[in-house]
Amino acid sequence: MTADEALAAAEHAVDLSGSDPARALALARTVLAALPASCREATGRIGPAGGPGGARDGGVSADGATKHDSEDGIPADGAPEWGPEDGSSAGDAPEHGAEGYIPVGDALGRDSGGGPDVGVIAGRVAGCGHCEAEAVAHRALAVAARELGDLPFAEERLRRAVRIALSAGLPHRAAQARLSLVHVRTELGHPEQALDVARDAEPGLTPAEVGKLGVHRAVALARLGRYREAVDHCDRAVPVLGGDVRFLAGAMLNRGLARVFLGEFGAAEADLSRCAELARDAGLEHVLALAEGNLPFLAARRGDLPAAFGAYRRAESVLVGYPERLATVRCDLAEALVGAHLPGEARVLLEMAVPELAAAGAGTALAEALLLLARVELRTGDPRRARESAELAARELAAQGRTVLAPVAEEIVLRARLALGPPSPELPAAMLSCADALDAAGHGDTSAALRFTAAEVSLGLGDRPSAEDQLALLARSGRGVVALQATALRRSLAGDRRGAFAAVLAGLAEVGAGTRTFEDPAVRAHAARAGEPLAGFGLALAMRTGRGRAVLAWAERWRAVTGGAGRPLAPGLAALRAALGESVLVEFVRHEGDLAAVVVARDRVTLRRLGPFQAVAEAIVRLRYGLRRTHLLDGSAPDPGAEAAELERLLFGSLRDRLGDRPLVVVPTGTLHTLPWPLLPMNADRPVTVAASAAAWLAGWRVPAVREGRRAAMPVVVAGPGLRYAEAEARMVGECHPGTERVAARRAEVMSALERADMVHLAAHGMFSPRSPLLSSIDLDDGPLMAYDLLRLRTPPALVVLSACDAGMAHAPADGAPLGLAGTFLSLGTRCVVASLVPVRDEETLTLMTAFHGALAAGDPPARALAVASGKTGVAGFVCFGCGDRPVANGPEEPVATNGR
């Protein structure tokens, strides 16, 4: 192969690296193998599968400043010169100790694999025509390796390409290699250095290549949070890129993602769409995948979580075989989910993404992912893991010199320490020092929250002067909810309970105003959690009064905020009593580790303290375990009856005199959302309804039996796949309710039926996702119907029967907002949901549902119909949620005119 042929082939390999990295690798290796031995450096080891190092072959690197960017659209040029991170000289070896990588050289320039040293190369380049091809071939290997997810190997090859080009007197080829190194260096965790390298590379580049460099600079700038500058660089690059479709598509991609961070969603969508169009027309499948892979991030940032999850599912299928890019897609969506206050869903994605980023050596993305993972681990109640992740993130950030994020990691470590054990006397000082660092780094809100925590810890340690100093500072700061929280605590310490209540109410009103715009119940609930400490303080003040009315009012105000009322309003007691009639409402609340109950009956309101909440939570776990073993027909299972009796004693032992045998409305808290209430012995044959709040039950009670514009509640029935008795159950529903419509078990048909029907029965397999309630689902013929799919409903049915295991399970991130399938229906306006909280065998479900629909058709309200059915059949586990105290209209009645919901 002549020098010209070798150079042409190497340049072709560079061109191929973006669209077909595997072919590019093979071609570049062929070029290097064909070079004369006298001028060829050791090429290092290429893995047997054609990928660098034989590892992660078929993957792709996380390319993207703003998220996922392509080499074509986002080359990478840049480490400071070609020297290692520690600032040593150009001849020093890069610090890649991973198996499969050969160090570039020792201090004398000698390759550890036995290749010639730099001095030898410099002495022979004058008469060699192949050195240019060699430098370009190494660059092609690097760009292809980066596309396949091997960033350390890519960096090593680019450093080698720079060294060869400079030794051969080829400054333009050295600048091109640096151009490609910018992105690699950024993704390895050194965006500031990448910008330095870009500056050094620019003088050796053509105008068009300077445009490409601008696209790469956008990657580094966005990683540093300088999104407007990233957009500006892409703006300047676009006019000079000409017909280079790969870089033009990359510019659209990077600019679009930077605009997402800036909140310019319309412009961002236009850029991403243009990127996809260019990539599709040019056959750049990987760039097209990146454009589509960023749609979940855009949708989530926009607040359209159903669209985000749908786009993520598509991206997941498109990016199979590209683990690092898929990992970055997951991180992006997780970041948006954290912004939407969905830490459980974010954690699921991050736990999949972090190992892939670590495997690829994507230092920048890995540090950010670890920091985000630590935050969601803390928010999801796992402080030990949060501390480990935050400490690892802190080490990564320190190594990268990213001081702006370092105090964020330290704040998580401090909060994890507090959650893991009693505070030490030194902890408040450490918190205040971290708060100062957070302020200096521009994280004012995080700093204020940490100062308040430090004040609380100081109070607990008996240091009231230090606590009052911080509280006064926060109260004067005017920093939103934290300032009002500090004001409330200061007033309480001064004995001004009325003033403390006023501050709490103002703070809850501010929280409610901030969450009113969220239609998604999960987003709303998690967003409201910023006010949870304030709500807890208000409840504590109410508990000190010893008055049931005060405790009910403050518990309901918080539930109103989390449930979407927008304001901290409590229902009128007179209206609640009138609606209850002969029924009794019991609202459970938690206070300082203890459980209490407020009993509302026609004659009076009573407050009772019930004892440690932990004992109740553990008893519920034992009961549920026994029920599951019973379902599996395991003779060794503990007796559920004994645990049910114990729970009845813990929960209602001191309340029985107030309940009698009257119908019961229960408002749970925390783990109580997972308790099958009808199983308690006292509830045999008693109608029981479980509601998110007293106000939610009252609102359901006021909903008409048939809503405006609809005929009577003729059921729609769906029989899902894989259930032995689903078809028999569907026929039974039709026999009990003449005129029942049968709908195919396909997502589109079921969603349409849910929009038009006032009563729907779904007989199918169910799955509850405790850490990600929006991922809970019902199995249909064409895949799962997810809880987040239901968020698209505008007119949900009044009554939904979920004849599926665990379909009634809920996770409540805050009181008043139980999340899951049943909770999603109720939050959208469904009046009543009947669903199981435990697995129930197919044949038993058919038996129960036959009795239930028989009683329903006879005119019984859902709660009474379920009690009758459970009593007749002995089948337990189903619960009536929402408001099950009103009859369901049947028969061909005329539409009922109402004022709407």
Side-chain angles (χ1 to χ4, degrees), residues 9 26 151 157 192 224 320 409 431 477 487 521 548 584 596 667 677 722 724 767 828 843:
L151 295 170
R157 292 295 164 164
E192 291 280 9
L224 293 168
V320 169
M431 287 180 165
S477 72
T487 300
V584 179
V667 179
W677 297 88
R724 182 179 177 186
M767 187 278 291
L828 295 172
E843 64 273 18

Side-chain angles (χ1 to χ4, degrees), residues 1-7 10 31-32 34-40 124-125 127-137 164 168 170:
M1 185 181 291
T2 67
D4 289 342
E5 290 171 338
L7 178 60
V31 171
L32 290 171
L35 295 177
S38 60
C39 79
R40 186 170 68 244
R124 60 167 168 74
V125 291
C128 174
H130 290 83
C131 291
E132 185 172 12
E134 185 178 8
V136 175
I164 293 168
L170 302 168

